[in-house]
Amino acid sequence: MRFSETHIAGVVLVDAEPIEDDRGSFARLQCPEEFAAAGHPFAPAQTSLSRNPRLGTLRGLHYRPAPYAEVKLVRAVRGRIFDVTVDLRPDSPTYRRWTSAELSAQNARGLLVPRGVAHGFLTLEPDTDVLYQISPAFQPGHEAGVRWDDPAFAVAWPAAPALISPRDATYPDHGS
């Protein structure tokens, strides 16, 4: 695996390095030892799948406040997404800044999202499936989020959502 830092501390692109032969390819997508050696210890406690039949589905921007904060490794395993993270850590030099990456089944790229960073995505193709590996395990009742079009972050989405949940569409502004 190759680990590439983004301009937001702890948000890391994780590229598979497939081995190919006549049968196809094989790639390691997560290994606690490799993540730790790269300076990003991560041992997922849970794996979840988000199925998104419609093009333009927006999920997020979600996070979990302390002490329930999560680290996530996100990957599109079918289709393509515009994946976004927003730094919500007030003591961070990149507070309120965002970064994005295109994740697809084709590029097998993952995005590591640290605690204190909101995450969301917009599907760029119909029938897109997104795999989440999360640590610690989900604790219900501690969900939080910021609105996808909050002017405090000014995320440059490639399109407006065609489908978004009422909760995600109505989070209050984060403030100026």
Side-chain angles (χ1 to χ4, degrees):
M1 286 176 278
R2 279 188 331 272
F3 298 85
S4 304
E5 303 289 331
T6 67
H7 69 271
I8 296 177
V11 177
V12 178
L13 292 168
V14 182
D15 286 294
E17 295 183 310
I19 298 168
E20 297 183 15
D21 62 23
D22 292 338
R23 299 169 294 169
S25 66
F26 181 87
R28 185 176 307 182
L29 301 179
Q30 200 282 327
C31 171
E33 290 81 12
E34 284 188 53
F35 274 70
H40 305 286
F42 177 62
Q46 165 183 325
T47 301
S48 300
L49 181 68
S50 167
R51 301 202 95 169
N52 305 277
R54 290 189 47 193
L55 166 71
T57 298
L58 194 143
R59 292 185 185 255
L61 296 157
H62 303 143
Y63 70 98
R64 298 176 68 77
Y68 304 99
E70 299 171 326
V71 176
K72 302 175 191 174
L73 178 61
V74 182
R75 218 178 271 284
V77 294
R78 181 170 70 154
R80 232 170 18 108
I81 61 173
F82 180 79
D83 205 49
V84 172
T85 58
V86 175
D87 192 345
L88 298 178
R89 302 167 293 188
D91 57 342
S92 170
T94 55
Y95 179 56
R96 292 190 178 183
R97 289 182 58 196
W98 63 275
T99 191
S100 66
E102 185 174 300
L103 308 182
S104 69
Q106 182 75 19
N107 69 20
R109 173 172 270 179
L111 189 69
L112 184 66
V113 182
R115 289 172 178 83
V117 174
H119 170 262
F121 64 83
L122 179 72
T123 60
L124 299 175
E125 294 181 5
D127 298 318
T128 293
D129 294 343
V130 180
L131 187 75
Y132 289 77
Q133 293 178 284
I134 304 166
S135 185
F138 177 76
Q139 296 291 321
H142 304 286
E143 300 80 11
V146 296
R147 207 176 62 249
W148 70 280
D149 62 349
D150 187 329
F153 312 121
V155 174
W157 296 93
L163 181 63
I164 185 171
S165 74
R167 179 189 71 167
D168 289 353
T170 58
Y171 283 122
D173 280 352
H174 197 69
S176 342

